[in-house]
Structures are given as C-alpha cells and as structure tokens.
Amino acid sequence: MLYGKKGQGEDMSVIEVKNLTKDYKINKKGKGLGGAVKNLFVREKTVVRAVKDLSFSIEKGEIVAFIGPNGAGKSTTVKMMSGILNPTGGQVLVNGKDVAKKRKEVVMDLGVVFGQRTQLNWDLRLGESFELLKRIYRIPDERYKENLKVMDEILGINEIIDIPVRQLSLGQRMRGDLVAAMLHSPSVLFLDEPTIGLDVEGKYAIRKFIKEINRVKGTTVILTTHDLGDIQELCERLIIINNGELMEDGPLREVTERIAPFKTLVVEFYDGEAPKHAKAELFYHEGNIAKYRFRKADITAAQLIDEIAQKQAIKDVSIEEASIDDIIRIAYQGSDDKI
Ligand SMILES: Nc1ncnc2c1ncn2[C@@H]1O[C@H](COP(=O)(O)OP(=O)(O)OP(=O)(O)O)[C@@H](O)[C@H]1O
Ligand SMILES: [Mg+2]
C-alpha cells in the first residue's frame, strides 16, 4: 500500500504509522456461581487484538477520512497516533518523532477531539476552560489571542464564551472542543466522530471549520466518521480499516470505483409494476418507486432508462453514485458481494 508514501529525498510525511498493533487484555469472566467465585481468586485474561499491523503515511495538508465499521479499531488507532495509548507493537511518527517515546514534545504539535468526550472543564465557563489550556500548553499571549480571533471568525465562539461548559448544547460544546484543540496551533488535528449527534447546522459549522483551518493554516486532518456527508465534503483520501486491518487506502473516487463500481437508477413510474432488466438488479420496489443497481461497465444509464421506458411509462428518474455506506458494506463483506 504505497499511497501517500513519499519518495526518497522528499520531505518526510507528517504522520507515519508503521506496523502498528494494539492488544487489549481483558478479564475473562467465568460463568455461573462457580465462575464468579473463581473470578475472585484467579483473573484469567483474554487478549483482543484491536489493531493489527497497520501501516500508512499522511502528508502535510491532507484531510484524510479514516473509516470502518463499529469496533474496527479506529478510535484505538487515533489514541495511539495521539499518544493517549501506547502501541503493543510498531510505532507512530509525527513529524519524524516517535509519539510513544517523545510524547510530551509531540503532543504540542497535535490536537485531538473525541466527539463522545470533551476536554473542556465542566465546572468552568468556556472562556475559562480555554484559559486553563493556555496555561497547560504555555501558549504565548499573542498566539492565544490571534487563535481565538481566527476561531471566532470561523465558529462564532465569542457568542458562547461566557456560558458554563455544562450548559452548552452538544453543537456548542463541539465548537468549543474544536477551538480548544487548536489553541496551541498544532499542525495535526485528529477528529474522532466530531459530527456525531449534531443537526444539519451543527455539522455544517464543523465542516466549515475543518475546511477553513486546512486552507488557512495548512492543518493536516485525520477524520473518523460514520457520516457520508463529512467524507464527501471534506476528504479526498479514504483509509478503510476492518478488524484492525487496513483494507483500502486511496483517493475517494478511486476507492469508490474499485470497490463499488455501480450506480443506482431511481425510477418513478406513473403506476404499476416495475419491469425487470437483465443487466440491472431491481433491489427496491415500493409503490411507484423502483431502484435498479447497475454496473457502469455493463450498461449506460441512458440505455437502461430507455429500455425500461419501453416497457413501462416513466414519470421521473435520478441517478445515485455508490454511497459511502455501499462502499463500507461491500468492503466489510468481501468480494462476493461486489455485483
Ligand atoms: N479499553 C478497552 N479494553 C478492551 N477492549 C477495548 C477497549 N477499547 C476498545 N476495545 C476493543 O477494541 C476493538 C476496537 O475498538 P475501537 O473503539 O477502536 O473501534 P472503533 O473503530 O472506534 O469503533 P466505533 O465505530 O464503534 O467507534 C473493539 O473490539 C473494542 O471492543
Ligand atoms: Mg470509535
């Protein structure tokens, strides 16, 4: 998997993940009363290998979608990339430095946001929470003010800066968390499901922020998400993992073409039956609406519409590219499912 690798003599990659592996040891629970008693005395451990020999590299200024199904090992990888967890094997280099060995140095160059958790302090106002981080990271006054100004322009943070963190809505809290992650001007930002649970407007604000800091500051962004819109709007490159292993790495369009080389034709008929077609799979039919999945290599959309229209009068049509959901579904299920 060479995508993203630089040739010799060129600048090093911002992030290099090399043969990264993570095992979690968990207590094995004995069953029944006997098991419960036994648990008191002997703690049997089982090992879950959450990340397996993962390697990829990321160049400066990229926005990369890091995706995969629940339990694939995304958060575990993000935690190792950001120095929160130590790897069982392999290493992560950020700007050439080993994250596990030079954690304190590297952390100054990293921002991390977990959509499910906050690094803000519940007991403080948002602004006070920022001040605390300013002290922790020893951010110079000038830079702190400048960063807050830029963040206000993008996220309108001043409107909410005096609200206690515990009173912030989820969307406001996420805005706060993004600012908090960028206060010390890191060159790399890890975002683990930053749009989870947000409404349309909230998602829009987060996406705008990611685009802007990438454009203005050249921040490298690694984004974990289950949201198709996030990926389509922001990411040119896709890394897919499953069961802790790398499955795909490449430009979004290339990966889509490779693993989901089909489109969907959505047809609204005036009434009645949806005719079958030899080169397209009729996979949905309800009322007057039918959906046909077809391979671009087998038939063109124009031909398909034409041939269906000859059998049944068509009122309206639209064509959908394979969605990220399709891509993920196929990637998870292996090659058998590729139509
Ligand atoms: N602290 C932990 N102790 C034991 N096992 C863990 C721990 N954290 C994660 N795991 C296991 O490691 C695997 C990977 O989990 P991880 O949270 O990295 O997945 P994910 O890709 O982020 O999933 P999701 O999309 O649900 O957030 C899962 O099998 C999970 O149960
Ligand atoms: Mg996760």
Side-chain angles (χ1 to χ4, degrees):
M1 206 53 65
L2 282 172
Y3 189 81
K5 277 260 155 72
K6 289 230 162 182
Q8 268 188 336
E10 293 184 72
D11 288 343
M12 66 192 167
S13 304
V14 174
I15 298 167
E16 282 200 52
V17 172
K18 295 182 182 174
N19 309 106
L20 198 64
T21 296
K22 180 71 191 179
D23 290 341
Y24 288 113
K25 289 200 182 73
I26 46 174
N27 290 327
K28 199 173 170 179
K29 288 206 173 111
K31 284 194 184 119
L33 187 61
V37 173
K38 199 173 153 209
N39 283 340
L40 292 174
F41 303 103
V42 235
R43 294 214 170 230
E44 272 188 85
K45 304 262 188 192
T46 40
V47 172
V48 178
R49 180 150 287 189
V51 174
K52 297 168 195 163
D53 200 22
L54 198 59
S55 299
F56 57 83
S57 52
I58 291 172
E59 308 308 328
K60 182 167 170 32
E62 281 195 280
I63 304 181
V64 178
F66 187 57
I67 66 171
N70 292 131
K74 303 178 298 294
S75 296
T76 303
T77 306
V78 169
K79 283 175 192 163
M80 288 191 281
M81 289 196 284
S82 53
I84 295 167
L85 271 183
N86 280 334
T88 307
Q91 58 176 178
V92 180
L93 303 180
V94 172
N95 293 319
K97 289 176 199 152
D98 189 313
V99 177
K101 289 184 185 140
K102 307 223 157 147
R103 197 179 163 277
K104 273 192 184 153
E105 258 176 77
V106 176
V107 155
M108 296 306 287
D109 216 17
L110 300 178
V112 197
V113 173
F114 290 96
Q116 317 260 30
R117 259 192 287 148
T118 184
Q119 65 163 321
L120 303 168
N121 193 313
W122 286 107
D123 299 319
L124 301 177
R125 292 174 193 280
L126 184 59
E128 292 167 340
S129 212
F130 292 158
E131 291 279 341
L132 188 64
L133 288 166
K134 173 177 183 279
R135 261 177 276 151
I136 292 171
Y137 283 98
R138 303 208 171 111
I139 306 165
D141 272 347
E142 280 296 299
R143 191 197 290 179
Y144 177 78
K145 277 184 197 148
E146 174 58 26
N147 278 343
L148 263 189
K149 190 169 149 253
V150 174
M151 296 302 152
D152 182 49
E153 280 159 18
I154 306 175
L155 288 172
I157 210 74
N158 282 347
E159 290 165 25
I160 55 173
I161 205 145
D162 289 324
I163 302 179
V165 171
R166 70 172 69 250
Q167 287 174 21
L168 295 172
S169 73
L170 181 62
Q172 291 171 333
R173 207 263 290 149
M174 273 315 301
R175 278 152 69 194
D177 259 304
L178 288 171
V179 173
M182 290 302 294
L183 281 176
H184 59 294
S185 309
S187 67
V188 176
L189 184 60
F190 295 109
L191 301 172
D192 192 352
E193 303 198 41
T195 56
I196 196 162
L198 300 188
D199 66 7
V200 179
E201 223 175 294
K203 283 183 183 170
Y204 172 80
I206 305 298
R207 289 175 191 162
K208 184 174 135 207
F209 167 86
I210 296 170
K211 272 189 218 161
E212 277 300 290
I213 53 141
N214 177 259
R215 191 180 64 82
V216 176
K217 294 174 170 270
T219 312
T220 306
V221 180
I222 293 89
L223 172 70
T224 286
T225 183
H226 290 287
D227 191 294
L228 160 67
D230 289 346
I231 301 169
Q232 276 178 337
E233 260 191 52
L234 296 166
C235 307
E236 277 171 21
R237 178 176 164 198
L238 205 60
I239 296 179
I240 305 180
I241 66 165
N242 192 16
N243 291 322
E245 289 175 299
L246 190 82
M247 302 205 46
E248 293 288 339
D249 181 2
L252 177 59
R253 212 173 282 166
E254 213 178 279
V255 175
T256 314
E257 280 294 312
R258 189 159 59 235
I259 65 177
F262 58 80
K263 292 186 184 188
T264 297
L265 174 71
V266 184
V267 185
E268 186 185 349
F269 295 105
Y270 278 98
D271 59 357
E273 294 289 296
K276 291 218 162 92
H277 193 285
K279 288 182 176 161
E281 180 200 355
L282 175 61
F283 69 98
Y284 174 93
H285 181 207
E286 208 155 314
N288 292 348
I289 306 286
K291 294 185 182 182
Y292 296 87
R293 197 178 283 142
F294 65 102
R295 271 177 174 274
K296 293 172 236 177
D298 293 341
I299 191 167
T300 66
Q303 249 178 315
L304 184 59
I305 294 167
D306 199 38
E307 289 172 21
I308 292 171
Q310 284 175 21
K311 294 182 184 162
Q312 184 85 2
I314 288 177
K315 189 175 176 189
D316 198 7
V317 291
S318 61
I319 292 158
E320 293 170 358
E321 294 287 333
S323 69
I324 301 292
D325 288 346
D326 288 327
I327 295 168
I328 292 175
R329 183 174 51 81
I330 292 166
Y332 301 168
Q333 291 172 359
S335 55
D336 289 344
D337 197 51
K338 290 180 191 173
I339 64 163

